[in-house]
Amino acid sequence: QVHLVESGGGLVQAGGSLRLSCVGSAQTFSSYAMGWFRQAPGKAREFIGALNWSTGTIYYAESVKGRFTISRDSAVNTVLLQSNSLKPEDTAVYYCAASTIYYSSSHYYTELSEYNYWGQGTQVTVSS
């Protein structure tokens, strides 16, 4: 069974850096995509970006493109979310997710409903 664990959250100052890690179980190798979402207080869960394992491509939400970077770590089942210019509005619980649902080899995986495995989330608080 796919099991995901996020780590790296905490309290940082505005303008500071973020490095979140999402580590999947061995079964994560069979997933088609891994993605990052965030949920601020009182708001719906928001798509940040996703990595498609089949193509190796990464698709970012337009709202965060340029400030957040998704990358693969040394292990194929480990994905990072990084930023070096955090803002107070980035305060949220950050979630990683994986999908074993096939749509097409180049699917973007931007919707919550397209993922069937989720981590527990990690709190990121950006102070002003």
Side-chain angles (χ1 to χ4, degrees):
Q1 188 173 22
V2 175
H3 184 248
L4 304 172
V5 178
E6 305 100 330
S7 62
L11 177 63
V12 297
Q13 292 185 337
S17 298
L18 173 74
R19 186 180 187 273
L20 301 182
S21 176
C22 177
V23 181
S25 61
Q27 291 76 20
T28 310
F29 287 105
S30 299
S31 71
Y32 293 108
M34 292 184 67
W36 283 98
F37 294 78
R38 66 183 181 183
Q39 188 165 20
K43 293 186 176 181
R45 196 164 298 187
E46 176 189 21
F47 172 75
I48 298 173
L51 186 154
N52 184 304
W53 294 121
S54 297
T55 63
T57 59
I58 302 171
Y59 181 81
Y60 295 97
E62 197 66 30
S63 60
V64 301
K65 195 172 185 178
R67 291 203 305 116
F68 286 82
T69 300
I70 293 173
S71 61
R72 171 191 167 187
D73 207 339
S74 58
V76 69
N77 62 336
T78 300
V79 175
L80 303 178
L81 177 68
Q82 297 176 283
S83 175
N84 58 7
S85 58
L86 290 173
K87 300 177 180 180
E89 52 263 43
D90 293 322
T91 295
V93 177
Y94 285 72
Y95 298 88
C96 69
S99 180
T100 60
I101 306 170
Y102 180 80
Y103 297 92
S104 67
S105 60
S106 58
H107 191 70
Y108 292 147
Y109 288 93
T110 62
E111 302 293 330
L112 272 68
S113 61
E114 296 171 337
Y115 294 84
N116 53 340
Y117 295 97
W118 292 84
Q120 80 287 350
T122 183
Q123 176 71 49
V124 175
T125 302
V126 184
S127 63
S128 59

